[in-house]
Amino acid sequence: MPIRTLPHAVPSLPGKLPPWRLRERLRFLLLSLGVGAVAGAGAVAFRALIGLSQTVAFGSGVETLVSVAMDVPAWRMVLAPMAGGLLVGVMIHWLIPGRRPTGVADVIAATTEGGGGIGLRTAVAGAAVNGLSLGVGASLGREGPVVHLGAGLGAWLSHRFALSGWQQQRLMGSGVAAAVAASFDAPVAAVVFAMEIVTRSHRMGDFLSLAPAAAVGALLGKHLYGNGPIFPVPTPDVPMMLEYPLFALLGVLSAGMALLLIGSFLLWQGLFRRLGAAARIPSWAMPAAGGAVLGIMGLAVPEILGVGYEATENALLGAYPLGFLVLLLAAKLMAVGISAGSGFGGGVFSPALYVGAMAGGAVALAVPALGGPAVASYGLYVLAGMGAVAGAVLGAPISTLVIIFELTASYQASLPVLLAVATALAGVRLALGHSLFTLQLLLRGIDVSALPDETARPHP
């Protein structure tokens, strides 16, 4: 068969970008790199703030807070979160619009309104409140604060360069991707999360805007914190075919844990509001009351304090017996609710990983204890539980799947984790119809579930 050759003069391809559009895209690429550097540095500074606050509160800024808390005197264990809570309450009262901690729900609301709503002052003040909260032992996570900080820095830069509404939204997404990548060393998951939650679009233009920022943020994080995974996991064995129904069952259990975690957020907020009204306690004093309760709980179960990565890693490594896993699960659900309900700032992703790890480990140990066969790999159940609870709470299953793999460097767990995440997400959608973030917004009168997945806006 003869080979066809192209003519010497190739006609211009349809859809080829004009020079002015190419210049515009180059300009936006440079802005994306710039916001990546700024937001990545902001995430690093936020992490340093947590360490500084923890040093003042407990005498050491290392991230293994459980080990530190073992040597802290009882009076300091109670006084540190109580005094820190008082300072948090005063800062929220005077510095934060709306007089409540900031987080991912505020970013979704801002991007829904076309990119506005988060000023630089609010972003920085919110980061200060959240960093102090986590440093004094609030049982929350650092991903929500860095998402808000990254979005705020992106919004600030977009205003400085007088960008249009959809461009502001993209630059906010770039800031989120960079901050998450720098904080967790998970650049791919950071891009997917920003597309799922912030831009709510999977168009190529969004990816080309977010990826450079995430790469810059990840490089900053790697330079300061190293290249290893946050959670080192022994290489898991391949599960037996008969175990896959157990992963689906774990997904059902994880859906219940996710609903309990979401309910804990909302229930304790209502309880603290009613307590404040009945006892005439001003709202700025409520975090101090919550901090005192957390400190007392920390005397018995220090594993519930702070971000909780040390306890999560211990669960992954099989360091806890079945009874203790159940105790930590129940205590963490209560501690998260008290922290968020009393007014401390922080995110929900790390607590969701914690709860999922304990639930997954409990299932892996309970099956043989109840007369069933020994599971092929304990760590697979912990990973599946982490992904299932986190994906269902956040309502971002794809980015959750990716970040589990990036945090653990364990891609062998892909099928069990996928099965558990899908089952858990389906359960929460059937029972509630919302993630924690969209439910928080709905309670504020903002229904983002009615919006299309891809916002109707022009794209370059």
Side-chain angles (χ1 to χ4, degrees), residues 5 71 85 99 112 133-134 162 164 184 198 207 215 250 274 284 329 335 367 389 393 405 442:
T5 59
D71 299 323
R99 294 180 178 177
T112 300
S133 296
L134 297 175
S164 62
F184 295 98
V198 181
F207 176 80
L250 175 58
R274 288 193 289 273
W284 54 264
L329 176 60
V367 169
V389 175
V393 170
F405 300 144
L442 191 64

Side-chain angles (χ1 to χ4, degrees), residues 30 32 38 56 63 126 218 263 298 354 373 389 412 460:
L30 295 175
S32 178
V38 173
V56 175
E63 294 191 351
Y354 185 113
V389 175
Q412 296 91 337

Side-chain angles (χ1 to χ4, degrees), residues 185-212:
D185 190 16
V188 180
V191 172
V192 178
F193 177 82
M195 295 175 74
E196 279 191 296
I197 298 297
V198 181
T199 67
R200 298 186 306 280
S201 168
H202 295 86
R203 302 193 189 197
M204 184 61 69
D206 292 285
F207 176 80
L208 294 175
S209 301
L210 303 178

Side-chain angles (χ1 to χ4, degrees), residues 32-33 66 71 82 111 119 159 184 190 199 203 214 226 299 302 346 354 389 428 435:
S32 178
L33 293 171
V66 178
D71 299 323
M82 184 170 65
T111 54
H159 292 146
F184 295 98
T199 67
R203 302 193 189 197
L299 291 174
Y354 185 113
V389 175
V428 170
S435 69

Side-chain angles (χ1 to χ4, degrees), residues 218-248:
L219 286 173
L220 284 173
K222 286 178 182 293
H223 177 70
L224 292 171
Y225 306 121
N227 291 314
I230 292 180
F231 298 120
V233 183
T235 302
D237 296 326
V238 178
M240 297 175 291
M241 288 297 295
L242 293 177
E243 287 188 70
Y244 283 97
L246 287 177
F247 290 110

Side-chain angles (χ1 to χ4, degrees), residues 232-309:
V233 183
T235 302
D237 296 326
V238 178
M240 297 175 291
M241 288 297 295
L242 293 177
E243 287 188 70
Y244 283 97
L246 287 177
F247 290 110
L249 179 62
L250 175 58
V252 175
L253 175 63
S254 297
M257 295 300 102
L259 290 171
L260 286 175
L261 190 56
I262 293 172
S264 185
F265 263 78
L266 304 179
L267 172 66
W268 284 96
Q269 286 176 349
L271 288 176
F272 273 98
R273 277 197 299 267
R274 288 193 289 273
L275 173 64
R280 296 184 179 180
I281 302 174
S283 60
W284 54 264
M286 296 309 293
V293 177
L294 285 175
I296 294 171
M297 291 180 66
L299 291 174
V301 193
E303 288 84 359
I304 56 98
L305 295 174
V307 176
Y309 282 167

